[in-house]
Amino acid sequence: MPLSPLRRPPCAVRTALRTALRTALLTPLAAVTVTATLLTAAPPAHAAASVHGTGSATGSAAEQVPGMDVSRYQGTVDWQGAWANGARWAYVKATEGTTFQSPTFPEQFQGAGDAGLIRGAYHFARPDLSGAAEQATHFVDHGGNWTADGRTLPPALDLEHNPYGPDACYGRGQSDMVSWIREFSDAVKARTGRAPAVYTTSDWWTRCTGGDTGFGGTNPLWVARYATSPGTLPAGWSAHTFWQYADSGTFPGDQNWFNGSYDELKAFARG
C-alpha cells in the first residue's frame, strides 16, 4: 500500500521501510513461498459471511476473489490483462492528506471499470497534517465517492506507519488517533452513505490506537499481512473483508483477496 505521493516502487523502497517491522513475520524465503502458494493453490479457508460480507480469518469454506491495489507508481495499468489473469476488483489511490491528488487516478479508476473490475478509491491518511474531516472532504471531492451500482467499492482509509518521520503514529496519542479515525469515518459516511473500509496492520492498530475495538461493527477491515494467512486481526474485528498478502505477483501493484465469493463481492459493493 502506498506510503506517500512520491510512492516508491513496490519491491524497492517499500521493502526498506517495512523490513524492520515485518522481519519476524516474513523472511525472503517465506515471501517467495507465499506468492507461489497463494497464486497457484486454492484460496485460504474462511467461514460463513458476516455483516460485512466476509468470513473469519480461519474457517471451513474456501471461496475468495483475487484483486489488486494500485497508485501512480503503476502508471498505465493493463486492466484487460489483469482481468484475463483473474483480477475481479481493485482499489486505486485517489488522495493523500489535504492537497495531494493522484494524477493517475482518473485513468486507472476508469480503466478498471471499463475492464469489468469492481473498483474503489482509497485515501492515505495524514493525521499529522490536519483534522480528519478536512481530509475526508478532500477525499470524497476527488474520487472517494460511492454509488450503489454494484461496481463501486466503499471508500477506503489507508492507516499505516508514518513514512515521513520516526513516529509511526504521526505524533498523535492513542485516544487522539481513535478520535481522528472516527471523525474521518463519520464524515465519509455522511457524504457517501458508506463507512470506509480500514486498511491497516495489527501492529499499527495496536501501537497507534491501543487496540481500540470500536470499529469492527461499522467499518470493513482490509488487513495487510505478507504471510500465508491474515493471522491475528486488529482488535475489534472478528473477520476481514480484504487481505493484502504481497506487494507483487500476478497483477500490477499489491496482491489481495476478497474474503468471500464473487456474488458476495458484488453484494458488498451494492451495500
Side-chain angles (χ1 to χ4, degrees):
M1 176 63 66
L3 291 178
S4 74
L6 302 178
R7 182 188 178 193
R8 59 278 166 271
C11 296
V13 179
R14 172 187 301 194
T15 302
L17 288 170
R18 292 178 172 173
T19 295
L21 297 171
R22 291 198 170 121
T23 296
L25 298 176
L26 186 63
T27 65
L29 177 59
V32 173
T33 303
V34 168
T35 302
T37 300
L38 290 173
L39 296 180
T40 60
H46 67 284
S50 75
V51 293
H52 298 311
T54 66
S56 61
T58 59
S60 58
E63 279 191 288
Q64 294 202 16
V65 183
M68 53 198 279
D69 64 87
V70 298
S71 72
R72 73 175 190 163
Y73 276 92
Q74 279 67 52
T76 299
V77 175
D78 179 7
W79 292 107
Q80 295 291 343
W83 174 272
N85 286 326
R88 293 295 179 265
W89 61 273
Y91 267 110
V92 180
K93 181 174 183 178
T95 55
E96 175 172 330
T98 58
T99 59
F100 176 76
Q101 301 173 49
S102 173
T104 58
F105 173 78
E107 177 186 356
Q108 290 174 338
F109 191 82
Q110 181 69 40
D114 289 347
L117 280 75
I118 299 172
R119 71 282 189 264
Y122 76 85
H123 173 81
F124 185 88
R126 289 294 306 275
D128 56 325
L129 293 182
S130 73
E134 182 179 353
Q135 293 193 32
T137 297
H138 175 59
F139 176 42
V140 175
D141 284 349
H142 298 97
N145 207 350
W146 171 79
T147 56
D149 56 8
R151 303 177 62 244
T152 307
L153 295 169
L157 174 63
D158 180 356
L159 294 161
E160 54 184 277
H161 289 75
N162 180 10
Y164 301 102
D167 181 2
C169 304
Y170 300 87
R172 290 183 180 264
Q174 293 174 342
S175 62
D176 191 28
M177 183 65 79
V178 170
S179 296
W180 194 97
I181 298 168
R182 178 57 66 195
E183 180 181 311
F184 184 96
S185 179
D186 290 347
V188 167
K189 185 175 182 180
R191 287 282 306 275
T192 69
R194 290 291 296 269
V198 171
Y199 169 95
T200 195
T201 66
S202 292
D203 175 78
W204 189 92
W205 194 258
T206 299
R207 180 183 302 191
C208 298
T209 74
D212 185 81
T213 61
F215 293 87
T218 55
N219 299 74
L221 174 63
W222 182 4
V223 66
R225 185 173 188 256
Y226 294 2
T228 56
S229 75
T232 301
L233 300 179
W237 283 278
S238 60
H240 68 282
T241 300
F242 303 104
W243 167 29
Q244 184 190 88
Y245 65 84
D247 60 6
S248 64
T250 299
F251 313 126
D254 299 313
Q255 314 296 292
N256 294 265
W257 291 111
F258 169 78
N259 193 15
S261 69
Y262 187 51
D263 284 343
E264 287 173 321
L265 174 63
K266 292 186 288 185
F268 174 73
R270 287 192 299 270

